[in-house]
Amino acid sequence: MTRIEVNLEKKPSTSYEIYIGQNILDRMGLVITKKNWASRYIIITDSNVSPLHGDRVQAALKEMGLKVDQIDFPAGEASKNIQTIFSIIHRMIEVGADRTSALIALGGGVVGDITGFVASIYMRGIPYIQVPTTLLAQVDSSIGGKTAIDLPQGKNILGTFHQPKGVFIDLAFLKTLPPREFGNGLAEIVKCGIIDDPELLSLLEKEAEAIRNQDMILLEKIIARTCRIKKGIVEIDEMETGLRRILNFGHTIGHAIEAESGYSISHGEAVSVGMVAAANISDRLKYLPSEDRERIRSLIRMIGLTDRIPPTLSTDGVSSRIKRDKKKEGDIVRFVLLKKIGVPFVNGGVPEALVRETIEALKK
Ligand SMILES: NC(=O)c1ccc[n+]([C@@H]2O[C@H](COP(=O)([O-])OP(=O)(O)OC[C@H]3O[C@@H](n4cnc5c(N)ncnc54)[C@H](O)[C@@H]3O)[C@@H](O)[C@H]2O)c1
């Protein structure tokens, strides 16, 4: 089992460890017992993960003599709302959760975001543990303490920063993950290689086929490496005031494409094509050598992700969604661009015409 420590220096009490391995539920039970974070634990999970993995996780904890309850909610982004929060909180009150209780987020990013949010507000804050079951949650959303729910006006509008007590990444969960969800996580791994770790990028190029075939030993190595990148960025910029923004590489155009397609294009596909777009813009603005741009595009294809958007997707629609994004930060649309592989920067001056041209070119 690999252990990675996340050191948040401003508040050492919020530092925590990430444990990564295959079939680590027994060891998770041991660690939770030893750390003694709470008098009882409530697993929060969704309607897909519960029948697949709920019993196993409960059994591993009960085996250690821990008191465990479980609350399920319907799977999917549509549940990331205030009604779900209230219904979970009502159930917690019913089962008698108090300030000495802790939550366990068993699921993907939706479960993680919801559980973290509830934990941050229930009785002014209780501890929680992340047990991510999607590849995206394992390499991205379970680390860093960002929690959120959506409003009809937009995604992730209500949220808090609340760090988990620990993150337990068991690769065995990936065996039941649908391929589309696997691709969503893979895109985030490729992103981390591009923005921070040229060696990881080389490994992904060399082992693209084994990764597509979900070779677990290799995946463990790659997940650990990606978690180290994410934790390194979070340690420097816990509250996302600067450096942490580089994690948005590929996401500005990606989010717009995903939303404009009515979410028929997956997050992973949208971020992949968004990364190709950001690399193309970086090249056109003479920051990024064309060889690096081509390397990014070719890795994305090799690893089974996409570098194209459907010709029917409206460029006007994508472009206006990108502009709407700018309301978040004054009048400037901020793009994360590249000077070379491993050297990203935030740029606020990409001409709209270039963005539109780039989107059009990705349709051919
Ligand atoms: N907090 C953060 O830092 C952060 C970062 C990135 C994304 N997010 C959020 O994460 C969410 C996306 O996360 P996600 O992609 O994990 O989506 P998700 O949680 O909806 O999971 C995707 C699907 O896979 C199912 N699933 C989960 N684990 C499974 C398994 N092992 N086997 C079979 N099915 C399984 C889920 O039930 C769901 O249907 C978004 O809401 C996004 O805003 C948060």
Side-chain angles (χ1 to χ4, degrees):
M1 184 162 76
T2 311
R3 275 163 70 150
I4 299 171
E5 198 165 317
V6 183
N7 293 302
L8 300 165
E9 279 171 34
K10 276 185 224 135
K11 280 183 282 165
S13 62
T14 59
S15 297
Y16 54 97
E17 276 177 307
I18 305 168
Y19 304 82
I20 307 168
Q22 295 179 51
N23 301 308
I24 61 165
L25 292 186
D26 296 350
R27 275 168 289 171
M28 175 177 89
L30 276 170
V31 174
I32 294 180
T33 311
K34 195 164 146 236
K35 297 275 187 182
N36 198 20
W37 285 308
S39 65
R40 61 185 296 180
Y41 294 86
I42 301 168
I43 297 170
I44 310 288
T45 190
D46 73 25
S47 52
N48 290 336
V49 178
S50 174
L52 291 168
H53 304 293
D55 286 351
R56 268 190 327 117
V57 174
Q58 277 205 40
L61 300 176
K62 285 180 178 162
E63 177 84 358
M64 299 306 302
L66 297 169
K67 186 165 170 6
V68 187
D69 288 288
Q70 185 176 313
I71 299 173
D72 298 4
F73 65 84
E77 183 73 28
S79 281
K80 239 177 87 171
N81 59 41
I82 198 77
Q83 283 74 31
T84 307
I85 300 298
F86 283 141
S87 81
I88 291 173
I89 287 174
H90 288 153
R91 287 280 297 121
M92 286 170 64
I93 294 168
E94 268 168 28
V95 299
D98 62 15
R99 285 191 55 77
T100 68
S101 311
L103 302 183
I104 297 179
L106 173 67
V110 166
V111 171
D113 277 12
I114 287 177
T115 308
F117 188 66
V118 171
S120 71
I121 56 172
Y122 190 75
M123 297 191 173
R124 302 198 177 87
I126 58 171
Y128 77 114
I129 295 160
Q130 289 274 15
V131 185
T133 62
T134 62
L135 185 58
L136 181 133
Q138 296 189 339
V139 296
D140 187 2
S141 60
S142 65
I143 305 159
K146 279 209 290 181
T147 86
I149 55 166
D150 305 335
L151 287 183
Q153 291 85 345
K155 260 179 70 83
N156 297 330
I157 291 195
L158 293 182
T160 54
F161 284 94
H162 189 51
Q163 299 294 340
K165 288 287 176 199
V167 181
F168 295 88
I169 298 177
D170 190 338
L171 277 91
F173 289 123
L174 300 180
K175 294 195 174 125
T176 58
L177 197 65
R180 183 178 158 111
E181 302 303 337
F182 186 78
N184 289 346
L186 207 48
E188 298 298 334
I189 292 173
V190 170
K191 176 193 79 180
C192 282
I194 294 172
I195 61 172
D196 201 60
D197 189 350
E199 266 180 48
L200 171 60
L201 207 71
S202 305
L203 181 67
L204 296 174
E205 287 169 334
K206 194 166 141 245
E207 303 287 0
E209 197 183 334
I211 294 165
R212 279 206 316 265
N213 295 331
Q214 303 197 16
D215 174 323
M216 286 291 162
I217 293 168
L218 190 63
L219 270 180
E220 185 175 339
K221 191 168 156 189
I222 286 166
I223 290 171
R225 206 163 173 135
T226 309
C227 287
R228 277 204 184 88
I229 296 170
K230 173 105 197 230
K231 81 112 198 184
I233 294 170
V234 167
E235 281 177 346
I236 295 170
D237 182 20
E238 185 185 348
M239 300 302 202
E240 198 169 322
T241 51
L243 180 72
R244 202 164 164 174
R245 290 187 187 157
I246 62 170
L247 290 166
N248 284 328
F249 178 68
H251 283 59
T252 305
I253 294 183
H255 279 153
I257 289 172
E258 194 184 358
E260 184 59 25
S261 77
Y263 296 90
S264 64
I265 297 179
S266 73
H267 180 73
E269 288 163 351
V271 167
S272 299
V273 84
M275 291 193 286
V276 173
N280 289 354
I281 290 172
S282 306
D283 177 13
R284 287 286 301 275
L285 292 176
K286 306 258 177 286
Y287 293 118
L288 183 73
S290 337
E291 311 85 77
D292 282 357
R293 175 200 23 94
E294 184 47 31
R295 199 177 154 197
I296 290 169
R297 196 194 61 78
S298 120
L299 170 65
I300 282 173
R301 283 179 73 94
M302 255 190 324
I303 212 151
L305 296 167
T306 183
D307 63 345
R308 285 279 169 269
I309 46 179
T312 47
L313 201 74
S314 154
T315 299
D316 283 346
V318 175
S319 167
S320 75
R321 281 178 195 274
I322 293 172
K323 276 187 274 167
R324 242 179 281 161
D325 217 31
K326 82 184 175 184
K327 288 200 192 101
K328 289 183 194 152
E329 255 192 287
D331 265 350
I332 298 164
V333 183
R334 297 195 185 277
F335 284 91
V336 182
L337 300 180
L338 291 170
K339 290 193 176 152
K340 61 179 184 177
I341 286 171
V343 185
F345 68 104
V346 181
N347 178 294
V350 179
E352 191 188 336
L354 176 56
V355 176
R356 294 176 66 93
E357 223 179 279
T358 306
I359 296 165
E360 274 298 309
L362 291 170
K363 292 184 188 174
K364 286 170 191 151

